[in-house]
Amino acid sequence: MTGPMTGALADFRGRHESAAHNSGWTTLPFFRDGGAERVAQAVDARLAEGARLVPPPEQVFAALTLTPLERVRVVVLGQDPYPTVGDAHGLAFSYVGARRLPPSLKTILAECAQNGARVAPGRGDLSGWARQGVLLLNTALTAEAGKAGAHLKLGWARLVDDAVAAVSATRPHVVFLLWGEKARARASLVDRDKHLVLEAGHPSPLNRHRDFLGCGHFAKANAWLEGHGLGGIDWSV
């Protein structure tokens, strides 16, 4: 089956399977053993049935494109894209919609401000983080308009597992920010002898424990990176 998602996958491969990227994301088992094709075909099948994809196909792999494997310094794991058309653009938690910020992102940015970052009111685009080496990767890279979680079982989770394992194995001194039960479950994939794993509750207001605010993760991440001579992240938005 050929469709928008399989086309986006082919384009991603074409741009990243070059000599300059021969140790990058496309070397992951997910892209080598047919897993990516199976997910793309499943997404295209939903589109053929009339579903509307979020984000649009050309933005699905934005997290991997903006943050190549060889530049990863921090990993942040989300769940799946915002289900309103125009809100998501391929980066976990990042928001480019026209309405007020989503509650989880608002909480994240409040913690950033507490850690000394400059946060402009109403701004939610985290592309600046991604360009500095912050991998903002969702557990599912796609969803459907009006249907949060619609693609969580399509096979995207294998990509996340492969990506976390690859970062752990190949990168030096990365900070893994694992927020919420699903993200924290991947802590076992990380080599704690060389990386820093920081865990907290999910920033969502539905988290009844309210154990995200005050975690200090952004300041702790920069202290770790700077302590290893890697330079901190400018968390300003």
Side-chain angles (χ1 to χ4, degrees):
M1 177 186 296
T2 300
M5 192 62 240
T6 52
L9 173 61
D11 181 65
F12 176 77
R13 284 186 182 280
R15 287 186 289 117
H16 293 274
E17 287 187 333
S18 65
H21 293 85
N22 61 8
S23 62
W25 297 122
T26 54
T27 65
L28 299 181
F30 178 80
F31 290 108
R32 294 299 189 190
D33 65 8
E37 283 76 13
R38 288 189 290 273
V39 174
Q41 290 167 7
V43 173
D44 278 336
R46 290 295 301 135
L47 293 176
E49 294 170 0
R52 190 169 183 182
L53 189 69
V54 290
E58 65 272 15
Q59 295 179 341
V60 167
F61 296 104
L64 305 182
T65 297
L66 285 179
T67 312
L69 175 58
E70 62 269 21
R71 292 179 55 199
V72 175
R73 294 193 286 157
V74 178
V75 174
V76 174
L77 300 181
Q79 183 164 308
D80 65 339
Y82 299 118
T84 300
V85 173
D87 287 358
H89 62 130
L91 305 178
F93 294 109
S94 189
Y95 178 76
V96 292
R99 302 176 310 285
R100 65 179 59 186
L101 296 180
S104 293
L105 178 58
K106 188 175 180 180
T107 301
I108 291 169
L109 295 181
E111 182 64 20
C112 281
Q114 288 293 319
N115 285 215
R118 300 181 307 277
V119 177
R123 290 284 302 276
D125 186 347
L126 306 182
S127 299
W129 295 5
R131 293 189 180 96
Q132 295 178 74
V134 181
L135 178 64
L136 298 165
L137 190 62
N138 276 319
T139 301
L141 272 59
T142 55
E144 296 176 15
K147 295 182 179 180
H151 293 182
L152 287 173
K153 297 182 179 180
L154 289 188
W156 285 120
R158 277 204 55 227
L159 169 59
V160 180
D161 291 344
D162 286 354
V164 170
V167 170
S168 178
T170 66
R171 297 292 298 145
H173 311 306
V174 170
V175 181
F176 290 80
L177 303 181
L178 306 181
W179 305 329
E181 181 180 350
K182 291 182 174 60
R184 296 169 83 167
R186 290 183 164 86
S188 62
L189 299 173
V190 180
D191 180 355
R192 291 176 182 258
D193 289 335
K194 67 173 180 173
H195 303 298
L196 177 63
V197 176
L198 297 175
E199 302 182 38
H202 198 279
S204 169
L206 298 178
N207 171 12
R208 60 185 178 86
H209 297 293
R210 299 291 192 271
D211 52 354
F212 178 84
L213 278 175
C215 66
H217 281 186
F218 301 103
K220 291 175 182 177
N222 277 358
W224 167 271
L225 293 171
E226 291 164 0
H228 287 86
L230 301 174
I233 303 294
D234 181 359
W235 297 107
S236 299
V237 176

